[in-house]
Amino acid sequence: MPPQSGNTAGNGQVLEPETKEEPPRKWEVYEQLLRVPIYAVFSRYTNKLRVFELKGGHYQELELPESRVWIADLSLGLGLWQGEFQGIDRLWLRWYDIDGNWILTEAEQQRQRAESAEAQLQSLIRRLRESGIDPDRFLNS
């Protein structure tokens, strides 16, 4: 039986040397594998938004004078917004439309619908009273 060298197993198979190859970092995955055209990073510790655009196979940082970036391919912008979300008031990363208006969250949409429905109800009650109809007759039954 021949002596085993460091690169063969007891059954004669050649073993590949072990390499401790690190998995690619998120930046490398986005830039080199997925080739994501826009890469945005927001630090909640520094409240800074940094945006990188893929040019020539590598990310280049964009200048953001207003902490906002328009992404033409998405017809959306991304920027920093100060306000309350889920009970926490701070700077948040948020989408905006072509007119610069923040895209409403689901909670904001629901609140807006409720306020609109309440305003319509109050208008209807006022018009009924002006027409001589007591709306309480219908609302309290």
Side-chain angles (χ1 to χ4, degrees):
M1 188 173 200
Q4 291 183 4
S5 66
N7 63 350
T8 60
N11 62 7
Q13 290 180 324
V14 176
L15 297 176
E16 295 296 319
E18 280 190 36
T19 59
K20 294 194 179 208
E21 193 172 308
E22 296 288 324
R25 297 177 304 143
K26 185 167 42 171
W27 177 279
E28 294 165 333
V29 170
Y30 288 175
E31 180 185 65
Q32 297 165 13
L33 300 175
L34 299 177
R35 307 196 46 76
V36 175
I38 300 287
Y39 181 70
V41 179
F42 172 63
S43 170
R44 63 186 176 124
Y45 303 107
T46 63
N47 288 327
K48 183 169 173 138
L49 172 64
R50 297 175 70 197
V51 178
F52 302 86
E53 185 174 20
L54 192 62
K55 290 184 180 179
H58 297 286
Y59 282 129
Q60 294 179 10
E61 188 166 3
L62 301 177
E63 290 289 324
L64 301 178
E66 298 177 23
S67 293
R68 286 181 168 215
V69 62
W70 181 253
I71 306 169
D73 291 345
L74 299 177
S75 296
L76 283 173
L78 189 62
L80 295 183
W81 168 77
Q82 176 69 47
E84 186 178 320
F85 178 68
Q86 296 185 345
I88 301 171
D89 193 325
R90 65 174 328 269
L91 274 176
W92 294 96
L93 199 55
R94 189 163 182 177
W95 297 107
Y96 64 90
D97 66 17
I98 195 164
D99 297 321
N101 301 311
W102 299 113
I103 304 295
L104 297 178
T105 64
E106 185 177 341
E108 290 169 332
Q109 290 175 17
Q110 289 173 353
R111 185 171 42 250
Q112 191 176 60
R113 282 193 297 270
E115 289 170 358
S116 176
E118 178 67 24
Q120 288 177 338
L121 176 62
Q122 294 304 320
S123 174
L124 179 59
I125 289 172
R126 182 181 39 77
R127 290 173 61 199
L128 286 170
R129 285 196 172 115
E130 289 170 356
S131 300
I133 300 170
D134 180 12
D136 293 332
R137 248 181 43 195
F138 304 104
L139 294 174
N140 294 331
S141 51

